[in-house]
Amino acid sequence: MNKKAIIIGFLIGLITTFIGISIYTLIIGLNLGLSIQDITNKILSTSVLGKRASIGILLNLPVVYYFLNKKKEDTAKGVIIAIVLVALIFILNKF
C-alpha cells in the first residue's frame, strides 16, 4: 500500500468535489440570471451546500474510473476515501 498515492488521491478527490460544486453552482446561477458576485457567494454559502456537494461528488466517478483503468488502485482508494469523508461530514452536519 502506497501511502503517498492515497494522500494524492484524497487531495484529488477533495479538489474535484470543490470543482464540481463550483461548476454546478455556476451553471444554475447563470440560468437564473445571477451576477458573478452572487454566484461566488452561493458557492461559499453553507445553507444548501450538502445538496450541491452530492452533485459535486459525481464528478469523482470518472476520476476513480480513470485511476482504476491506469492500474493505480491506491490513488483510487484515496479518491474514494475523500468521497466517503465528504459524505460523512454532510450527513453529520444534518443532525
Side-chain angles (χ1 to χ4, degrees), residues 26-92:
L26 182 68
I27 291 171
I28 296 299
L30 290 176
N31 284 337
L32 294 176
L34 299 175
S35 68
I36 298 296
Q37 185 175 1
D38 290 338
I39 292 172
T40 55
N41 288 338
K42 284 198 174 280
I43 289 172
L44 300 175
S45 169
T46 58
S47 61
V48 289
L49 188 59
K51 294 176 185 176
R52 287 183 275 143
S54 63
I55 293 178
I57 286 175
L58 290 176
L59 197 59
N60 283 327
L61 292 176
V63 174
V64 170
Y65 183 73
Y66 171 78
F67 286 129
L68 288 176
N69 278 340
K70 293 295 182 180
K71 306 288 187 218
K72 296 185 178 189
E73 289 86 10
D74 289 337
T75 310
K77 284 180 193 176
V79 175
I80 292 172
I81 290 170
I83 292 171
V84 170
L85 181 69
V86 169
L88 284 176
I89 288 172
F90 288 111
I91 287 172
L92 294 175

Side-chain angles (χ1 to χ4, degrees), residues 7-23:
I7 292 171
I8 290 172
F10 179 76
L11 293 175
I12 289 172
L14 291 179
I15 291 169
T16 308
T17 301
F18 179 74
I19 290 171
I21 291 169
S22 300
I23 290 172

